[in-house]
Amino acid sequence: MANIKALAPEALYRRCDPDELGFESTAELEDLGEIIGQARALDAVRFGIGIRRHGYNLFVLGPPGMGKHTVVRQFLEERSAAEPRPDDWCYVNNFQQADKPCALRLPAGRGSKLRRDVAQLVDECAAAILGAFESEEYQARAQEVEDERKERHERAFRELQEQAERQGVALLRTPAGFAFAPMRKGEVLSPEDFEQLPQEEQDAVERTVAALQEQLQKILRQMPQARKEAREKLRELNREVAGFAVGHLIEALRREYADLPKVIEFLDALEQDAIEHVDSFRRGEEGGVALPGMGAQRPTFRRYEVNLVVDNGATAGAPVEYEDYPTYDNLIGRVEHQAQMGALVTDFTLIKSGALHRANGGYLILDARKVLTQPFAWEGLKRALYARKIRIESLGQLLSLVSTVSLEPEPVPLDIKVVLLGERMLYYLLYEYDPEFRELFKVAADFEEQMERRPENDRLYARLLGTIARREQLQPLSAGAVARVIEHSSRLVDDTQRLSTHLGDVADLLREADYWAREAGRGLTAAEDVQQAIDTRIRRADRLRERVQESIERRTVLIDTEGSRIAQVNGLSVLDLGNFRFGRPSRITATARLGDGEVVDIEREVELGGPIHSKGVLILSSFLAARYAQDRPLSLRASIVFEQSYGTVEGDSASVAELCALLSALGRVPVRQALAVTGSINQHGEVQPIGGVNEKIEGFFDTCRARGLTGDQGVLIPAANADHLMLRGDVREAAAAGRFHVYPVAMIDQAIELLCGVPAGVRGADGEFAEGSVNQRVEARLLELARIRQALAERARDKDAL
Amino acid sequence: VTEAQELVFRRVLVALDASAHSLAALHAAAQLAAQFGAELAGVFVEDVNLLRCAGLPFARELGSLSAAARPLDAAALERMMKSRASELQRRMASVAEQQQVRWSFSALRGQVIAELLSAARGADLLILGKATRLSGTHVRLGSTARAMMARASLTVMLVQHGAELERPVVVLFDGSLGARRALGLAARLAGEDHRNLAVLLEADSEGEYERLRQIAEAWLVRCGMEARHRRLAQTDAGALARAMIAEGGRVLVIDGAHPVLAEDALARLMNVLSVPVIAVR
């Protein structure tokens, strides 16, 4: 063997030299204005924001904690500051159709002015109208109208009465009206006396009375008409007086808003309405039921209010709005209701703006996941973006669930750029399944989780750390601390050539390191504080790892770290707890006997193995067949299992170990238990890289150290994983002292040689493997099995022949 | 003013016709009867003219609102008058009991004015509604009230629906004997509190005003009273109404012989005033 060297200690880790960073503490460093390592995403954001076309909204994708929100917000705020302020929007009463309030657009700042102006106007109108109606002139003219009617009525009545008296007939008041009766000497003629009159006289009286009755009827019938006329006259008078009182007040406003035709229209309608409803001004309030206990309220003229839904008066530049609770209502706006005597009522003053209103003319940032989890929010957002209009419709209305009195506010034109932030998965799912999504969110900004680790990037990273520290009001970091963070950042992405751009994790680490530095009374966060932060974080999370290692130590879980065993290999697996990953050794065993060429994956049989694991086993069995049984049937039945595994196994990173166990079983070659193996195999016997290499090595190291390092122990890793090594300090120390080894292997033969301490063997010129090599033994055994099988088959045929 | 000149109310007569005005009159009457310890007598006159009219073969009633002609049924009218009388009696009983005054009630039949005049003969004070009809806020003086003001020889008080007997009391004073009696009554109505009494002095000159004021004051001093004084340059309906408003007056007391209570002037005055008016005789 021995042509495979263990990796040198310095290859197990890529240090960052604090001296090369060129500073003592991050306090010396300038703030980092730019965003590092996200050139692609930033180009996309820049493009997406710059392009002013329908449908060019942005989806910023990347895992949470990448600082997407901060980056986008910073970007947008810088850009929006130079952009024009959008207009104000008001809703006002539609005097013709109260259920369809009108939207008014005014230049920024003039919305609130209009609201004040109109409120003041209404106050002034109320005073002016009250004054006008209390004036002597009005009182006199109104009295005149009433007097004229009464006078006319009374005159007619009096004339009739006089006429009746002249004809000897009295006009009597009956309980419900009037009656005529003939009169003699001031008294009504009694029926007996009337009988006594000559017939002609009786007839004459009757005729007179009938004629008078007719006249009276005429007079009485004219009364309602006369009253109506008088009311009409009074109304006309009221209109004239009110118009005069209100006209000049509104005229002043009209001049002020002459440049806004829709406002002028509103003022005209307001004037007409105020004149029509002059009585409500005279009563000092609007018509409606006065409730006990509510009487103390100041009378309001709600119908003349201006509901300012978007006020950009104090906005600088275009608005950048982030809606952290994007419900349908919070996005689109809503119409609220008030309970009034048990009924829900509403009007235009209860229209509330949504985030789309507030961000109109600017930018709206939303979390994709939140939008998607709020009922109908996504649909509502898309509809608004498609229509380029905000139409406020309650969900109840939308679904036709309720039919309370509601409003249909005039839609507001929408000019907005929406930036959705979300995980990659959401983006691809939406892209796949929502045809409208790709129409509306044409720009994707994909955030990179890693950046290249180069000396100049190290220095940028240091400035980034300094910036975060300042922003978070943390102590500055020493160069050593920065170096340690950079190293840890490499470890986070499992790559010596890369740094993590997951700023959330890094910021957490800085905060925790800062805490330990302050605990220790240091004014500068040092490397040991960073180390302590890392260690304590692991300590908090590693309960399960401790249990696992303990059970190995107590031999509840059987793992050998010394000696040699046939058909038994230490494999390595990684457990991911979400916030913490750790490795552990797993015993992999194999058996082989006569059979028809099948390699049984026991995990697969009991459905504890995932498809990739099964794939690994199938690859290794075809490798076996291709190498050792090219021209005869593979006459073996083998089974492979992860011992003491009670959960699912997934991934093909154990396929090298499995193959080694199988070869050991076939060739009856013992395997050194001081070594553990990880790596996946292909059909040509090449060892391919796997994930979690650091955790796996550390997992086996922990097991060995607990039992005492012998100096023989080590781990075989795929050679291609050598670049990913960022091992723990104690592992590195043991490696430097020659007490633990990491072997990079590229081919299965290298692995088997290391494991068995016997040459793997290559085919010589005669096509045979060298005598005593592992391959020779395996081939011989397979040949033997094939022969036995053939013999058995012949005997069976002979039996049949007999 | 001697004791003999002072008004004494032993029997207060109230004319009832079930109108809202007459019910207001009933309340005022009971209040006054209680104040003066007088007996309260209610009278309801069934109008014989109406009954006769209903008996005529061609009698028709024209609805005041609908103008529809309906036959007038004498029997129905009789029944209605009976029930009205018993209703009024019940009302009176309850009001009188409230004020704890002795009371009597009689229903008469005949010519309204003549019956009222004859009933008034045994009384010292007649109280009646300003009109029978209730028509809006402007109540015009009814024919019965007008006739009683003109023809009754006793003190008459006219009350309008909605008005109550309250203070301050305003009295018109021109120094005449009648005016002194009016002042006496006003002072008693006003009670102890001099803020509740205002005297309108009819004077066309400052000298006259001073003279009258001294007379009035001298008279009031004897009753232990004081009053506000106001000069009235001319005495017509408008001037009186303005003075009433200025004084916040709730009752107006006038000498019954005063020209402002004569025929047309009375109608004008009653048209502008809505407070009770007492004509002292």
Side-chain angles (χ1 to χ4, degrees), chain A residues 150 154 172-182 187-188 190-191 194 205-206 209 213 216-217 220, chain B residues 49-50 52-53 55-58 60-64 67-70 72 77 80 111 132-133 138 140:
Chain A
K150 272 198 178 159
E154 267 168 27
L172 298 178
R173 197 169 294 276
T174 63
F178 306 93
F180 288 100
E187 288 189 17
V188 169
S190 71
F194 183 73
V205 165
E206 261 183 65
V209 166
Q213 270 176 0
L216 178 61
Q217 270 179 327
L220 288 174
Chain B
N49 278 350
L50 207 53
R52 283 184 189 165
C53 173
L56 292 171
F58 52 82
R60 289 284 183 282
E61 178 185 40
L62 295 183
S64 55
R70 294 179 290 261
L72 252 182
L77 203 60
M80 193 211 71
Q111 300 291 332
T132 40
R133 266 202 314 163
H138 290 273
R140 303 209 165 222

